[in-house]
Amino acid sequence: MQPHLKRAFTLLAIAIIGFIAVRALIVPDSFGQNGWYRGDSVFELRNFPVKHAEPVSCGEEDCHKTIYSIWSSAGHKTVNCETCHGPSQEHVNNVRIMPPPANDSRDFCGLCHFKRAARPSGFPQIDPETHGENLKCAYCHNPHKPWFV
Ligand code: HEC
Ligand code: HEC
Ligand code: HEC
């Protein structure tokens, strides 16, 4: 064989062996167990703590039944309790652990309600400069039944 071909083949062989060796070292053991991903990731994802409960768990007997029934028949029934109150599964498991306080700032309600040209015109929107005299929205609106002014 020509010497330059020998050198080329040797380099190629080294590259292939190197690739196989490095691959064996860095590919996790469970890769390919169930498909083209790391099999262990299924268990890792499953073991993540659950942070959000469902609104129905807030509405159970001896809990926030009244707020739940007001909320579920009012304008905010499509806005999950935890959108405003934060993740509350821990609180559902143990009522002594309080969820974070609800965000009651004007800017928070404004995330959905400040006037934006891109929003559907039928969606209730207000101009923050002129609406509500710069008071907190909950001063006039009950967040659980927003038309209760
Ligand atoms: C749009 C946001 C929003 C949603 C949705 C919402 N809340 Fe509230 N919630 C608030 C705010 C803001 C306060 C504080 C009220 C105030 O300052 O008058 C509050 C107060 C409370 C309080 C303590 C005061 C009280 O009246 O006893 C409880 C309990 C509560 N919410 C439960 C719930 C439950 C249960 C749901 C779902 C069924 C829910 N909230 C949905 C914003 C919200
Ligand atoms: C995550 C988005 C979101 C947030 C945050 C939010 N709202 Fe709403 N709001 C909605 C939706 C959705 C509706 C129902 C709109 C519809 O009926 O077309 C609504 C409806 C309303 C209405 C009209 C009610 C009716 O019966 O037509 C008022 C008033 C209102 N919200 C006030 C507030 C106030 C005050 C806050 C803050 C405490 C707030 N909203 C926070 C999404 C939001
Ligand atoms: C001083 C009392 C007061 C405060 C504070 C207040 N509102 Fe209102 N809001 C009203 C009244 C009264 C109406 C009904 C008449 C109107 O449309 O102005 C209303 C109507 C609305 C509507 C329905 C508008 C529509 O055209 O369907 C939305 C949405 C709303 N408010 C959101 C908010 C948000 C968000 C805040 C806080 C940034 C807020 N309001 C603060 C008194 C208030």
Side-chain angles (χ1 to χ4, degrees), residues 126-144:
I126 49 116
D127 176 358
E129 300 297 326
T130 55
H131 185 88
E133 303 162 28
N134 228 8
L135 294 163
K136 279 193 177 171
C137 316
Y139 186 80
C140 301
H141 298 279
N142 177 344
H144 305 135

Side-chain angles (χ1 to χ4, degrees), residues 56-97:
V56 277
S57 30
C58 314
E60 277 181 24
E61 205 67 50
D62 299 331
C63 298
H64 308 290
K65 215 178 155 195
T66 316
I67 293 182
Y68 180 81
S69 68
I70 291 171
W71 166 85
S72 57
S73 54
H76 271 167
K77 61 177 176 290
T78 53
V79 186
N80 199 316
C81 314
E82 289 164 295
T83 307
C84 304
H85 285 282
S88 303
Q89 179 62 48
E90 273 195 334
H91 171 68
V92 170
N93 293 342
N94 176 359
V95 288
R96 285 178 212 286
I97 303 175

